[in-house]
Amino acid sequence: MASKRDYYDVLGVNKGASQADIKSAYRKAALKYHPDKNKEAGAEAKFKEINEAYQILGDEKKRGTYDQFGHAAFDPSRGGANAAAGEQGNPFAGFGNGGFRWSYTTNEGGFNNFDFGDPFDIFNSFFGGGFSGGQRGRRMATYSMKITFNEAVFGVEKEVEIEGTKRKIKVPAGVDNGTRIKFDDFYLSFDVGVDPYFRREGADIYVDVKVPYSTLVLGDKVNVKTLKGDLKLKVRSGTQSHTVLRLSGEGVKRVQGNGYGDMYVRFVLEVPERMSFGERKAMEQLRKAGL
């Protein structure tokens, strides 16, 4: 056990720190060294060490035992607290390996599955959910919220009533259908409305822009609506109908990860349903010319 650092030093707090100070220090350190956020060598080991320290100091009973007996209280090879406390017995018997469980999995750009063996769920810290205590062994309720397309894309703050209690919920930008976020003591999933112009797939946005035949043949600039406002795009001469142009970073903010998706603009030939006499004559001339 000599190789282990003092848990208070690991979290950067003094021995007289309050439980609130310990939780705050843990949150700050865990966010800094989480392997999905910090790619430096040793970050994963540091993150495990931070979690291990909070497992003990974040629990008042375990903290008291640690203050009295140190690391020996949680070392199964030395009998745990039995060896250190003699007749007092080991209050952590059966935990195994010091009572710590730690694992993480990741998908591209996101935080997904954590098993800390502790009520604190680090996922909350990324979405303002706070810290949820006393939830072990309890199934948390899931509620559904309907939001508009724009509210999902840009984020919104809503007041909702959960079990008779009104709460203000901050919905982060980028949520989508099926997105589920954990708040203090419940989960919230989202039912996102559709937009008549934009079509969304994940963080990417797709739009069809109808352009006349002359624009595709001769080239021109067309006005395109994006999530951030109108944009003038150049259509090159000889562009084929259904040609797709990619606008990097003009999509939706990724709710789990950094950056934005892309926007794909498809130029589609607009065929008029009705034409004036002059327009029809012009089209007939084009047909005679083989166009």
Side-chain angles (χ1 to χ4, degrees), residues 23-75:
K23 182 174 288 186
S24 177
Y26 169 66
R27 179 175 182 265
K28 182 178 179 180
L31 289 174
K32 180 179 180 181
Y33 289 101
H34 191 280
D36 277 347
K37 298 287 287 184
N38 191 327
K39 302 300 182 182
E40 295 181 1
E44 181 176 330
K46 182 71 174 178
F47 183 69
K48 293 176 68 175
E49 184 183 43
I50 291 165
N51 181 64
E52 180 178 311
Y54 182 71
Q55 290 269 351
I56 301 303
L57 301 187
D59 184 292
E60 291 187 1
K61 289 184 179 180
K62 295 180 184 179
R63 180 183 178 184
T65 303
Y66 176 75
D67 288 345
Q68 187 174 3
F69 303 112
H71 292 297
F74 309 97
D75 182 7

Side-chain angles (χ1 to χ4, degrees), residues 3-281:
S3 62
K4 282 185 177 291
R5 293 174 60 202
D6 182 88
Y7 287 148
Y8 289 99
D9 290 341
V10 170
L11 296 183
V13 297
N14 59 51
K15 290 190 176 182
S18 66
Q19 291 300 114
D21 289 339
I22 289 174
K23 182 174 288 186
S24 177
Y26 169 66
R27 179 175 182 265
K28 182 178 179 180
L31 289 174
K32 180 179 180 181
Y33 289 101
H34 191 280
D36 277 347
K37 298 287 287 184
N38 191 327
K39 302 300 182 182
E40 295 181 1
E44 181 176 330
K46 182 71 174 178
F47 183 69
K48 293 176 68 175
E49 184 183 43
I50 291 165
N51 181 64
E52 180 178 311
Y54 182 71
Q55 290 269 351
I56 301 303
L57 301 187
D59 184 292
E60 291 187 1
K61 289 184 179 180
K62 295 180 184 179
R63 180 183 178 184
T65 303
Y66 176 75
D67 288 345
Q68 187 174 3
F69 303 112
H71 292 297
F74 309 97
D75 182 7
S77 68
R78 299 177 61 181
N82 283 320
E87 298 299 323
Q88 294 182 38
N90 184 358
F92 308 106
F95 272 67
N97 196 27
F100 308 118
R101 291 183 289 120
W102 182 89
S103 65
Y104 78 95
T105 60
T106 176
N107 287 341
E108 183 179 355
F111 305 92
N112 291 295
N113 186 24
F114 298 88
D115 183 13
F116 287 91
D118 185 273
F120 172 72
D121 184 351
I122 197 171
F123 185 77
N124 292 342
S125 61
F126 296 100
F127 300 109
F131 301 92
S132 172
Q135 299 296 331
R136 182 177 296 167
R138 175 184 169 212
R139 182 180 295 275
M140 297 175 65
T142 299
Y143 301 92
S144 179
M145 173 186 285
K146 288 187 176 182
I147 57 177
T148 67
F149 178 88
N150 282 348
E151 288 173 339
V153 170
F154 299 108
V156 67
E157 187 172 287
K158 293 246 184 195
E159 185 174 80
V160 297
E161 187 170 322
I162 302 292
E163 297 180 355
T165 303
K166 289 186 177 180
R167 307 166 185 251
K168 282 191 176 181
I169 301 297
K170 186 176 181 181
V171 180
V175 298
D176 201 355
N177 278 311
T179 298
R180 192 175 76 154
I181 293 178
K182 182 180 177 184
F183 290 91
D184 290 336
D185 53 0
F186 62 93
Y187 288 99
L188 194 60
S189 64
F190 298 94
D191 181 6
V192 180
V194 298
D195 186 270
Y197 181 76
F198 297 110
R199 179 170 61 86
R200 179 179 175 183
E201 291 186 10
D204 295 330
I205 292 292
Y206 296 80
V207 299
D208 283 343
V209 177
K210 292 184 178 181
V211 292
Y213 178 70
S214 59
T215 298
L216 294 176
V217 174
L218 302 175
D220 200 355
K221 289 185 177 180
V222 297
N223 190 60
V224 176
K225 179 183 175 183
T226 74
L227 294 175
K228 300 174 184 177
D230 291 346
L231 189 66
K232 285 282 188 182
L233 292 182
K234 182 179 180 180
V235 180
R236 297 181 181 276
S237 61
T239 296
Q240 301 297 308
S241 180
H242 289 70
T243 294
V244 176
L245 180 66
R246 174 174 170 262
L247 302 179
S248 179
E250 293 292 333
V252 181
K253 188 179 187 301
R254 293 187 175 91
V255 71
Q256 294 183 345
N258 300 318
Y260 291 76
D262 300 325
M263 179 173 174
Y264 295 87
V265 180
R266 184 169 63 175
F267 298 116
V268 180
L269 172 64
E270 182 178 27
V271 179
E273 295 181 2
R274 295 183 178 86
M275 291 185 293
S276 66
F277 178 79
E279 289 170 340
R280 180 173 292 277
K281 292 293 289 183

